[in-house]
Amino acid sequence: MTKPVLASRTELADLMGPPDANNNGTVFGGRILQMVDKAAGVCAMRHAGNPVVTVAMDRVEFLVPIYLGELVTVEAQVNYVGRSSMEIGVEVYAENLDRGTRRHTNTCLVTMVALDKKGKPRRVPGLRLRTPEEEKRWSAADARRKSRK
Amino acid sequence: MTKPVLASRTELADLMGPPDANNNGTVFGGRILQMVDKAAGVCAMRHAGNPVVTVAMDRVEFLVPIYLGELVTVEAQVNYVGRSSMEIGVEVYAENLDRGTRRHTNTCLVTMVALDKKGKPRRVPGLRLRTPEEEKRWSAADARRKSRK
Amino acid sequence: MTKPVLASRTELADLMGPPDANNNGTVFGGRILQMVDKAAGVCAMRHAGNPVVTVAMDRVEFLVPIYLGELVTVEAQVNYVGRSSMEIGVEVYAENLDRGTRRHTNTCLVTMVALDKKGKPRRVPGLRLRTPEEEKRWSAADARRKSRK
Amino acid sequence: MTKPVLASRTELADLMGPPDANNNGTVFGGRILQMVDKAAGVCAMRHAGNPVVTVAMDRVEFLVPIYLGELVTVEAQVNYVGRSSMEIGVEVYAENLDRGTRRHTNTCLVTMVALDKKGKPRRVPGLRLRTPEEEKRWSAADARRKSRK
Amino acid sequence: MTKPVLASRTELADLMGPPDANNNGTVFGGRILQMVDKAAGVCAMRHAGNPVVTVAMDRVEFLVPIYLGELVTVEAQVNYVGRSSMEIGVEVYAENLDRGTRRHTNTCLVTMVALDKKGKPRRVPGLRLRTPEEEKRWSAADARRKSRK
Amino acid sequence: MTKPVLASRTELADLMGPPDANNNGTVFGGRILQMVDKAAGVCAMRHAGNPVVTVAMDRVEFLVPIYLGELVTVEAQVNYVGRSSMEIGVEVYAENLDRGTRRHTNTCLVTMVALDKKGKPRRVPGLRLRTPEEEKRWSAADARRKSRK
């Protein structure tokens, strides 16, 4: 059984408010990572049709601050699937609602594993690649995986 | 100046967890209304390009329970604009991530007003209607508005 | 079996702080609706002596902003009972603690249903009306209910 | 200038849910103390008509557990006023909403001080005692205060 | 069986942010008491090797305000053990991270009781005193206990 | 001006409860990353004596689940300093309080930058290395930094 990439594509979004701020008045990096982890989890559950756990999160850079009052949107899609693991690519965007401008702020790669009822890794559906972009993401994830071994 | 409906269309989404539950193990109605208000606010700010406040929320029915572990998606779009007010239509969906099934749970109509820096109502852009569906929503909102007077 | 209105009258109150604010420095409409839903739920549970769920919330208007540092009090009482449903009337007040002034900010009507252990609607006690005010509320709720059919 | 005890009497109430629980499934003592501090603060602000800070909380005993799903009500009233300080007596009640039974769970005494705009202690109105009960509370607070010196 | 004081010594720490503030911009007394209760609970669980409940918290004074952006550290250690109860001494410190200065803000004494699986009090290990300071704390706790009877 | 590693060593700790859980009853990866980011921030502020922002977080692996009711301790120390940047090494431990066993669950490397009042990068004190372990961490960080260029 296989599923297309679009079937599990996930978008979470939230408005940043006072509890999300650090002492500089910008949003905590840890707050963004929490949304990234949640979006990757929903995306992986949609693909696997099973509970999942986070196994790793690749290096994330925070080059652009995010401000209170901005809308943070987190987009996750499956890049690659192994037997029971999935690499989820997550893009983070921040939108200034007054000016209507939106900027890309982070890219994250999250590895998740599907679990059966006893908490053991469980086979996930294959990934049906339909566009050159999706094939490129698959190859890059596969290369990363091999270089880590 | 006018803006199309699509330019402010807003989708917020969040995974329901233990803090969102009432004593029956289902999600609090008030938790859903909070997401509806937030989504309507973001949608109205995108259309107005200004801060907004909630002026009214129409009758909402909760006919279908939402469970913990489900993904709640809230979709908001501008139905109608007056001089400084906007009627935002909000649809709520709950998705069971294990089974991959999604159901429509609520429809809400929220009226918001744009404010200038002194907190006074401020003119908002017109709404460019492009589809028969958008025209139907405008007429229905206009009728509701007249019947309330 | 019947119960008087006073037996289930409910008052919740909380001080508004930074996490309750929107970007205008006033309190989110959704925050107020969450308190309204909670108060209506407690009131209905007191009357029914059983778990309850929210079935509908009538149109709510937000004509007066509520500020941080104000005490929000939410008063709920049963207006009407059907077989398993109850209409709860909820009044919201905001108090400025420095000046000692209190203003009425919202009126809400919430319909709740009592559930048995299997989650099926369950008969609720009748409502003993003791004052002309209580009788007026019952008639108004009954009229609303008939006009909705 | 004096104010009667009733003018600042304060009642906060909230339904206990999952985030309020410790690992035994009962409510954290610290959660109750937070409500006690908040209620005492609102009561003191109502009496003083000024911002206040907590100066001390007397020994509190937790002899009866409070369970999730119970309504906690916290009642605060001014027992005694000095020049800028106030002793607030706070009673905590927990109500089982299914059975309709309510029990007294804690008594706390909180000392608060009113502040002017520079954060210096500031004179508070006198307390008008109207009942023997209020006079008894005043005397007991006065005795505690003297025994601490 | 006995355990040394050091085996259960506990330190919790958290950075104070906007949700922890009262209307004066300083940290709520109730927020500090919540951290104190949590730290005492962890310390008591470490000593008892069992679930525990809070039985009492002695008079706490708040003589020094704590500001947003400060790091609050709460240090808890067992002072005394009875059959199933433990007195935990808790010290609170606030650190200004810009200036690198740290000040002692509160001392609290919390009594906790260990519970077995049925929620009944359960015997706790003895306390091995190793320093004159630990012996002094034991004697003071014992004296407090006797004077309360 | 230089500061020793120990001067900024930071330990945050918190008890995991219901709001920290994912749907498998274990703790969200994102919750842990939030504590890691906070601890790294406090450590960097202590070293820099100035506000800081997170610039990057290296790959983190989550090989061991953390359960509700466990105490999570996060230890941060400065590994390396550049002109205005600092690499903070963070170790995460989870402790089962009933059994008294503690296990190492994650290692994270966080890069932070100190800011002046205008939000521009600002020079930080040098790092005084006092042990072979500290020298080893410096060299490893330096090597990572060079390999990224």
Side-chain angles (χ1 to χ4, degrees), chain C residues 54-144:
Chain C
T54 309
V55 161
M57 189 181 285
D58 262 26
R59 179 176 168 87
V60 189
E61 310 214 332
F62 298 89
L63 303 175
V64 197
I66 298 179
Y67 300 96
L68 296 200
E70 292 194 318
L71 181 75
V72 171
T73 303
V74 173
E75 297 178 5
Q77 69 177 82
V78 184
N79 286 341
Y80 174 92
V81 306
R83 197 184 151 80
S84 62
S85 73
M86 295 156 275
E87 188 196 276
I88 315 293
V90 186
E91 303 296 336
V92 185
Y93 299 89
E95 179 181 342
N96 179 306
L97 296 167
D98 287 351
R99 278 174 298 179
T101 54
R102 175 171 141 138
R103 57 202 194 286
H104 179 258
T105 60
N106 310 84
T107 297
C108 313
L109 298 165
V110 186
T111 306
M112 311 213 75
V113 162
L115 299 180
D116 63 18
K117 279 168 193 167
K118 293 176 187 158
K120 299 283 169 205
R122 180 199 154 105
R123 188 158 212 147
V124 296
L127 190 67
R128 220 173 310 144
L129 303 174
R130 282 177 163 162
T131 68
E133 172 66 26
E134 289 173 6
E135 276 164 15
K136 215 172 99 188
R137 286 166 170 264
W138 174 286
S139 307
D142 197 24
R144 272 190 293 275

Side-chain angles (χ1 to χ4, degrees), chain B residues 23-24 28-31 33-34 37-38 51-62 148, chain C residues 24 28-31 33-34 37-38 45 51-62 148:
Chain B
N23 292 315
N24 313 317
F28 260 121
R31 174 67 171 95
L33 294 178
Q34 203 173 31
D37 182 51
K38 224 176 185 181
V52 299
V53 287
T54 309
V55 162
M57 189 182 285
D58 262 26
R59 178 176 169 87
V60 188
E61 309 214 332
F62 298 88
R148 264 200 301 277
Chain C
N24 312 318
F28 260 120
R31 173 68 171 96
L33 295 179
Q34 201 172 32
D37 182 51
K38 225 175 182 180
M45 275 190 273
V52 299
V53 287
T54 309
V55 161
M57 189 181 285
D58 262 26
R59 179 176 168 87
V60 189
E61 310 214 332
F62 298 89
R148 264 201 301 278

Side-chain angles (χ1 to χ4, degrees), chain E residues 105-117:
Chain E
T105 59
N106 310 83
T107 297
C108 313
L109 298 165
V110 186
T111 306
M112 310 213 73
V113 162
L115 300 180
D116 63 17
K117 280 169 193 167

Side-chain angles (χ1 to χ4, degrees), chain D residues 22-24 26 28-31 33-34 37-38 45 51-63 109 111 115 148, chain E residues 22-24 26 28-31 33-34 37-38 45 51-63 109 111 115 148:
Chain D
N22 59 28
N23 293 313
N24 312 318
T26 59
F28 261 119
R31 173 68 171 95
L33 295 177
Q34 201 172 33
D37 183 51
K38 223 175 184 180
M45 275 191 271
V52 299
V53 286
T54 309
V55 161
M57 189 182 286
D58 262 26
R59 179 176 168 88
V60 189
E61 310 213 333
F62 297 88
L63 303 175
L109 298 165
T111 307
L115 300 179
R148 265 200 300 278
Chain E
N22 59 27
N23 292 314
N24 313 317
T26 59
F28 260 120
R31 174 68 171 96
L33 295 178
Q34 201 172 32
D37 182 52
K38 224 176 184 180
M45 275 190 270
V52 299
V53 287
T54 309
V55 162
M57 189 181 285
D58 263 26
R59 179 176 167 89
V60 189
E61 309 213 333
F62 298 89
L63 303 175
L109 298 165
T111 306
L115 300 180
R148 263 199 303 275

Side-chain angles (χ1 to χ4, degrees), chain E residues 34-149:
Chain E
Q34 201 172 32
M35 284 185 75
V36 165
D37 182 52
K38 224 176 184 180
V42 170
C43 177
M45 275 190 270
R46 278 173 164 166
H47 183 76
N50 272 99
V52 299
V53 287
T54 309
V55 162
M57 189 181 285
D58 263 26
R59 179 176 167 89
V60 189
E61 309 213 333
F62 298 89
L63 303 175
V64 198
I66 298 180
Y67 300 95
L68 296 201
E70 292 195 315
L71 181 75
V72 171
T73 302
V74 174
E75 296 178 7
Q77 68 176 80
V78 184
N79 286 342
Y80 175 92
V81 307
R83 199 185 148 81
S84 62
S85 73
M86 295 156 276
E87 187 196 277
I88 314 292
V90 186
E91 303 295 336
V92 184
Y93 299 90
E95 179 181 343
N96 178 307
L97 296 167
D98 287 352
R99 280 175 296 181
T101 54
R102 175 172 141 137
R103 57 202 193 285
H104 179 257
T105 59
N106 310 83
T107 297
C108 313
L109 298 165
V110 186
T111 306
M112 310 213 73
V113 162
L115 300 180
D116 63 17
K117 280 169 193 167
K118 293 176 186 157
K120 299 283 169 205
R122 178 198 156 105
R123 188 157 213 148
V124 296
L127 190 67
R128 219 173 310 145
L129 304 174
R130 282 176 163 162
T131 68
E133 172 67 25
E134 289 173 6
E135 277 164 14
K136 218 171 97 188
R137 286 167 171 264
W138 176 285
S139 307
D142 197 25
R144 270 189 295 274
R145 202 183 164 222
K146 279 167 185 151
S147 84
R148 263 199 303 275
K149 285 190 176 172

Side-chain angles (χ1 to χ4, degrees), chain D residues 65-123:
Chain D
I66 298 179
Y67 300 95
L68 296 201
E70 292 195 317
L71 180 76
V72 171
T73 303
V74 173
E75 297 178 5
Q77 69 177 82
V78 183
N79 287 341
Y80 175 92
V81 307
R83 199 183 150 79
S84 63
S85 73
M86 296 155 275
E87 189 197 274
I88 314 294
V90 186
E91 304 296 335
V92 183
Y93 300 90
E95 178 180 342
N96 179 307
L97 296 167
D98 286 352
R99 280 175 297 180
T101 54
R102 176 171 141 138
R103 58 204 192 283
H104 180 258
T105 59
N106 310 83
T107 297
C108 312
L109 298 165
V110 186
T111 307
M112 311 213 73
V113 162
L115 300 179
D116 63 17
K117 278 170 193 165
K118 293 175 186 159
K120 300 282 168 205
R122 180 199 154 104
R123 187 157 214 149

